[in-house]
Amino acid sequence: ADGVSSEQAASLQHFSLPQYIAQYLAASPDLQAQTNRLQMARNTYKNAFMTAFLPSFSLSATASETYGRQYHYTSWEEFQHGDSYGQAQASWNVFNSGKDALQYQSAAADWQVAKINYEDTVQQYVLNAAQTYYDLLLNQKLLRVYEDDLAVAQQQYEQDKVLYENGLKTRSDLLSSETNWRSSQLSLFSAQNNYANALKNFNIALNRPVEAPAELDEQTEQDLSPLPPLNEDLTNALAHRYDARVQRLTLKQSDIAQTLGKLDSLPSVFVDLFANTGRGFTSHELWDYNYGISAGISFDIGFLYLNKYRERQNVKLTNQNAHLEYEQFLRTLRDNVVEARNTLLLKIRSLEVS
């Protein structure tokens, strides 16, 4: 019925919806790239913790040789031995007016946003896979319907032709029957084209040959779950929708940015620990070392603090806008939920009537 040859039937592969979704996700280069980006965001988040709270270390080694008219070497060994030095350093910013902790909180929010966006991307791919699967299934069924319709129309035309030849049908009846037959042929051609396109989309997503046949599970769930109360729907949407979760984290980042902006316009206190050791390699020197602590306070007042005051005002207004945008988002979310419920209720009632 679907134009499957004997060779194709031998290699016919069966797909259920869960199987197709799993293979669709596994074969998607775009999703693999998104997974790599998520891993990159995770690494950035981990580095943010080390930058904010852990000491940093460095190793260095240098070697130099000086040449000039005043330098005269009496032997090759003397020429070979230049100045060389090795050093190891450690530094630790113990306190920085709380800015490091706030920056880490912002980085943690970035990581949460990256995870939510990844989950949203995966959900979109799952929906695309389901749409592709059901699109092929629908076109497969329509193809069978049009094939049956063509067979019926052709049989009716042949019967009417015999009756017309025996004088039992008028020429108008025969022309009407032939028109129906030709129309069924055109409908079948269109259905075959739609099926071929749907099969192509189905196979390309799995990196299969474009015309490879597929057997689909035609048993689909017919039961519809009852809709929850509107207030429960709104609560669930606010708690679980990806865009709502991202909006809350964005608002949190705006609050952190406001706090950082205020701190930047106030005196900054810092406490650092440091240690280093090193020695020269030209002669047999002992390892030299030193360590200590440094603390200080700095206050950038700009031009009589006027520009700092305006910067604080801008930070405050930016944060106010973030809260206003969140309030507008909540109203839009409520509108979207109600509209989606009304659309779904209409479809449910249409199915009940049909």
Side-chain angles (χ1 to χ4, degrees):
D2 300 333
V4 178
S5 66
S6 58
E7 294 181 358
Q8 290 176 326
S11 60
L12 192 63
Q13 185 175 354
H14 176 79
F15 292 93
S16 65
L17 179 59
Q19 290 173 341
Y20 182 72
I21 291 176
Q23 293 186 36
Y24 186 100
L25 297 180
S28 171
D30 288 339
L31 185 58
Q32 293 174 14
Q34 290 291 340
T35 303
N36 292 339
R37 293 188 184 98
L38 180 67
Q39 182 62 40
M40 293 166 59
R42 183 171 178 266
N43 293 336
T44 301
Y45 164 65
K46 289 185 174 181
N47 284 342
F49 176 83
M50 291 187 286
T51 301
F53 302 114
L54 299 180
S56 62
F57 304 89
S58 65
L59 299 173
S60 64
T62 60
S64 63
E65 185 65 85
T66 304
Y67 304 94
R69 182 175 300 175
Q70 67 274 25
Y71 298 101
H72 301 283
Y73 300 100
T74 59
S75 67
W76 174 252
E77 288 76 12
E78 184 180 356
F79 179 80
Q80 253 184 332
H81 292 82
D83 295 330
S84 57
Y85 188 80
Q87 186 178 29
Q89 298 182 10
S91 61
W92 190 4
N93 178 238
V94 180
F95 182 73
N96 189 22
S97 298
K99 295 179 183 179
D100 289 336
L102 290 171
Q103 290 169 352
Y104 175 69
Q105 291 178 20
S106 181
D110 284 336
W111 166 235
Q112 294 295 326
V113 170
K115 289 195 294 184
I116 293 171
N117 288 335
Y118 179 75
E119 293 172 5
D120 188 17
T121 300
V122 172
Q123 185 187 65
Q124 291 301 320
Y125 277 103
V126 169
L127 293 175
N128 291 342
Q131 182 64 44
T132 303
Y133 183 91
Y134 284 121
D135 188 45
L136 178 60
L137 181 60
L138 174 62
N139 281 282
Q140 193 176 68
K141 291 183 176 182
L142 288 175
L143 182 60
R144 294 170 184 168
V145 169
Y146 284 116
E147 286 174 341
D148 293 341
D149 182 67
L150 177 62
V152 171
Q154 183 176 4
Q155 183 180 11
Q156 183 64 47
Y157 170 71
E158 292 174 351
Q159 291 178 354
D160 289 346
K161 185 177 181 181
V162 172
L163 294 174
Y164 171 73
E165 292 173 349
N166 292 316
L168 299 177
K169 285 281 188 179
T170 64
R171 182 166 182 79
S172 176
D173 295 332
L174 181 61
L175 290 176
S176 177
S177 181
E178 183 179 5
T179 300
N180 292 336
W181 176 42
R182 300 299 183 188
S183 177
S184 297
Q185 286 181 318
L186 294 176
S187 297
L188 179 60
F189 295 156
S190 178
Q192 289 172 336
N193 181 70
N194 293 337
Y195 174 76
N197 288 331
L199 182 62
K200 176 260 298 179
N201 296 334
F202 183 95
N203 286 327
I204 286 179
L206 302 187
N207 202 24
R208 301 175 74 221
V210 174
E211 297 183 350
E215 181 183 2
L216 305 185
D217 186 0
E218 299 189 10
Q219 299 298 323
T220 57
E221 289 289 338
Q222 300 294 332
D223 296 333
L224 296 175
S225 301
L227 289 178
L230 177 58
N231 289 337
E232 183 179 344
D233 243 357
L234 291 171
T235 302
N236 289 334
L238 184 60
H240 302 296
R241 273 183 54 153
Y242 297 120
D243 53 353
R245 293 161 61 190
V246 169
Q247 285 290 337
R248 286 196 295 273
L249 288 169
T250 302
L251 187 61
K252 178 181 178 181
Q253 288 180 308
S254 178
D255 292 338
I256 293 173
Q258 182 184 29
T259 305
L260 283 171
K262 290 180 179 179
L263 290 176
D264 287 338
S265 62
L266 296 174
S268 178
V269 179
F270 66 89
V271 179
D272 293 331
L273 299 177
F274 62 89
N276 63 70
T277 182
R279 56 160 290 186
F281 300 125
T282 305
S283 58
H284 297 288
E285 301 177 7
L286 295 176
W287 286 95
D288 188 18
Y289 65 89
N290 60 73
Y291 56 89
I293 182 172
S294 64
I297 183 171
S298 63
F299 191 17
D300 180 12
I301 62 173
F303 181 74
L304 302 178
Y305 201 71
L306 292 177
N307 57 329
K308 293 296 180 180
Y309 173 76
R310 294 190 180 100
E311 288 175 2
R312 285 181 62 119
Q313 290 296 109
N314 286 343
V315 169
K316 180 180 178 181
L317 293 173
T318 299
N319 186 250
Q320 287 180 356
N321 284 344
H323 282 265
L324 292 172
E325 289 172 2
Y326 183 70
E327 175 63 28
Q328 183 60 50
F329 168 79
L330 293 179
R331 297 183 184 183
T332 303
L333 176 66
R334 186 164 59 246
D335 177 70
N336 291 342
V337 170
V338 173
E339 185 174 344
R341 281 176 59 91
N342 292 339
T343 302
L344 185 57
L345 284 172
L346 176 61
K347 291 183 180 295
I348 292 175
R349 289 169 181 170
S350 299
L351 288 174
E352 291 174 350
V353 171
S354 59

